[in-house]
Amino acid sequence: MTSTLSFRRYLNPRVATPAQVAEVLANPGFGKHTTDHMVTISFDPENGWHDAQVRPFAPLALSPCASVLHYGQAIFEGLKAFRQPDGSVACFRPDANARRFAASAARLAMPELPAELFLSSLTELVALDERWVPEGTGKSLYLRPLMIATSADLVVTAGTRYEYVLVALPTGSYFTGGVKPITAWLSREYVRASPDGTGSAKCAANYAGTLLAQAQAAENGCSQVVWLDAVDRHWVEEMTSMNLFFVFGSGPGARVVTPELSGSLLPGVTRDAIIRIAAELGLDVEERRVSADEWRDTAASGALTEVFACGTAAVVTPVGTVKSADGEIVVNGGRPGSLTMELRRRLVAIQEGVEPDVHGWMHTIA
Ligand SMILES: *Cc1c(COP(=O)(O)O)cnc(C)c1O
């Protein structure tokens, strides 16, 4: 029933001028500019999901007692829409994001948004804001769906009223200055997620607890944090908002290894795509545990030839150096690896419609 909701449209009377849009799209940055509209859909126990709207981008009105502000019931997603060579607009694997959004909702005791509603919210927003989808390689429209508990009740229980919100932001490269190997900070002091916790859900609270380590990373000249498992403080989990891959050896015999889904790391859509693309290249792909010691020892011996991180925002990014309180690990002399760059090229080519989409990953939305 709820999956066939129709959206009411309220046009923004003060949209950006064509010159303003052109100026933003020439140099969008990441997460700086929103489009003219947003989507909201409300949930309450009596009506389920209802009142779907596309409306002018504007601040949300919330009670200061809204449960999200106190107990942190907030989840989000991140996916991109790409301008295709024929002028249409296509999203990369939105069905996977819809499923993960539902899984995150379930973990946080929030109502699941039906996948059809998630997908139609993307289409509805881009129908009004299509002029914000940039052209040109490396550029896309970043779509950020989120859900918050809005019920004003300070009793600690799951909320009863929720708001789904979708905003869109034109984006260029996540890292300024192109694809350069990043230097990451291995946090030994803090953990991101624990077994049976919320690590595999894309929830806001997972990030709040990491910002202090992120600040430490910056103090140590690092742009990202590498997380170890919470129990043994031994196994590499992931990096800030990206999953990690390790390449052993080179050429056709190279082995690609990524930490297995431990339950406390986030199952990335990009991670899944890279596993499949690497396998199609004939490479041996393993999902298994990787320890920080293995990283250090195999980097030193030369067996470990490349490390990269991947996620929707940063696509595929080489990791050159990892620093921690007990020293530094440098892989491949701190240079980007050739397989890293090849996997990146192939993924971007599919997303931008330059190479055929044999997996059926692209979903036309405009
Ligand atoms: C979103 C996210 C990722 C990457 O997931 P993608 O679906 O590839 O964008 C990895 N780790 C964390 C903690 C994340 O929040």
Side-chain angles (χ1 to χ4, degrees), residues 105-123:
R107 178 62 185 84
L108 277 273
M110 301 167 95
E112 293 177 25
L113 184 75
E116 308 82 73
L117 257 184
F118 182 96
L119 297 174
S120 51
S121 73
L122 309 177
T123 313

Side-chain angles (χ1 to χ4, degrees), residues 222-290:
C222 301
S223 61
Q224 305 289 320
V225 178
V226 172
W227 295 106
L228 296 179
D229 78 285
V231 177
D232 299 322
R233 306 286 186 106
H234 189 59
W235 307 106
V236 176
E237 295 237 296
E238 59 180 316
M239 198 174 82
T240 312
S241 57
M242 285 168 263
N243 295 112
L244 284 165
F245 281 80
F246 300 83
V247 181
F248 295 91
S250 58
R255 273 184 306 125
V256 178
V257 177
T258 191
E260 66 191 14
L261 296 179
S262 61
S264 51
L265 69 83
L266 202 284
V269 178
T270 319
R271 174 187 180 279
D272 183 74
I274 291 292
I275 289 174
R276 294 215 235 163
I277 294 172
E280 285 158 13
L281 285 174
L283 300 166
D284 190 16
V285 186
E286 274 177 75
E287 296 178 66
R288 63 158 168 90
R289 299 202 290 185
V290 177

Side-chain angles (χ1 to χ4, degrees), residues 269-346:
V269 178
T270 319
R271 174 187 180 279
D272 183 74
I274 291 292
I275 289 174
R276 294 215 235 163
I277 294 172
E280 285 158 13
L281 285 174
L283 300 166
D284 190 16
V285 186
E286 274 177 75
E287 296 178 66
R288 63 158 168 90
R289 299 202 290 185
V290 177
S291 70
D293 291 350
E294 180 181 5
W295 191 341
R296 182 197 59 218
D297 296 346
T298 57
S301 74
L304 178 64
T305 49
E306 305 181 26
V307 179
F308 65 87
C310 70
T312 297
V315 195
V316 171
T317 300
V319 180
T321 305
V322 177
K323 292 186 188 177
S324 68
D326 38 62
E328 225 176 77
I329 310 174
V330 181
V331 176
N332 194 32
R335 292 179 306 271
S338 56
L339 183 59
T340 300
M341 298 313 285
E342 175 61 9
L343 290 167
R344 180 186 168 92
R345 189 195 66 74
R346 285 179 180 260

